[in-house]
Amino acid sequence: MDLAGVFVFGLSGGTLAVRHRLDLFGVLVLSLAAALAGGVFRDLLIGAVPPASLQDDRYLLAALASGFAAFFFHPQINRLGKPVMVLDAAGLGLFAVAGCGKALAFGVGPLPAALLASLTACGGGAMRDLLVAEVPRVLREEIYALAALLGAAIVIAGQALKLPDLPVAVTAVLAVFILRVVSVLRGWSAPRAPGS
């Protein structure tokens, strides 16, 4: 699930880079940032060092492959309709579930595990957005971090109820993806400060 999230988030970073007319190096940098930053932050915080993406070449290869795919096949990816949002929603779900699962496996309690799941899911996207001088989606009014927290809550509940891991993980990823996509399509947003 982690590698699938790396590839999907890498595609979102690469697609955004192409939209900003960055060169091949820029596309690969955005793909790597989007794909790996959240997991690196999580691993450093739970003491899983060096981070998984620096221990296992498959992470870097998946992120680079997604960058090249975005660079060469961006017209096909853009046919998806809102490609960055769709890919971002898929990556958000995959990373929230993988991040929560890894945090729980390292003995972190449920609430910190949910926060680490959100950091895993949102960290790469925030880094990607900052590199192209956009306000990160996680800080905007959109339902973003809340969707990641929903996925984490499902994983935590599934573990507490001793349910099988795979169906729980699939349910959590789908819940995050659906909430994120529907919130964008319907214009749902997190509350803003009164009078702001």
Side-chain angles (χ1 to χ4, degrees), residues 103-157:
L104 291 170
F106 270 72
V108 175
L111 182 57
L115 295 176
L116 285 167
S118 186
L119 174 67
T120 306
C122 301
M127 182 68 72
R128 172 202 64 210
D129 294 344
L130 289 171
L131 286 172
V132 291
E134 290 185 3
V135 176
R137 284 174 176 82
V138 70
L139 301 179
R140 295 186 209 160
E141 300 166 24
E142 298 172 352
I143 304 293
Y144 196 82
L146 291 175
L149 290 172
L150 170 65
I154 292 170
V155 170
I156 291 165

Side-chain angles (χ1 to χ4, degrees), residues 23-176:
D23 63 13
L24 176 60
F25 181 75
V27 171
L28 294 177
V29 166
L30 247 65
S31 290
L32 287 166
L36 303 176
V40 168
F41 295 149
R42 173 204 63 215
D43 287 355
L44 291 174
L45 288 171
I46 63 175
V49 290
S53 59
L54 300 179
Q55 290 186 48
D56 187 342
D57 288 345
R58 294 177 301 167
Y59 288 89
L60 290 170
L61 292 173
L64 289 171
S66 65
F68 281 112
F71 187 81
F72 289 108
F73 302 110
H74 63 91
Q76 292 84 352
I77 295 169
N78 285 327
R79 286 191 198 128
L80 288 171
K82 296 182 171 194
V84 172
M85 186 274 293
V86 171
L87 293 169
D88 204 52
L92 190 72
L94 290 165
F95 272 4
V97 171
C100 187
K102 186 163 186 178
L104 291 170
F106 270 72
V108 175
L111 182 57
L115 295 176
L116 285 167
S118 186
L119 174 67
T120 306
C122 301
M127 182 68 72
R128 172 202 64 210
D129 294 344
L130 289 171
L131 286 172
V132 291
E134 290 185 3
V135 176
R137 284 174 176 82
V138 70
L139 301 179
R140 295 186 209 160
E141 300 166 24
E142 298 172 352
I143 304 293
Y144 196 82
L146 291 175
L149 290 172
L150 170 65
I154 292 170
V155 170
I156 291 165
Q159 188 177 78
L161 296 170
K162 301 195 183 323
L163 299 175
D165 290 341
L166 185 60
V168 168
V170 170
T171 301
V173 170
L174 286 174
V176 173

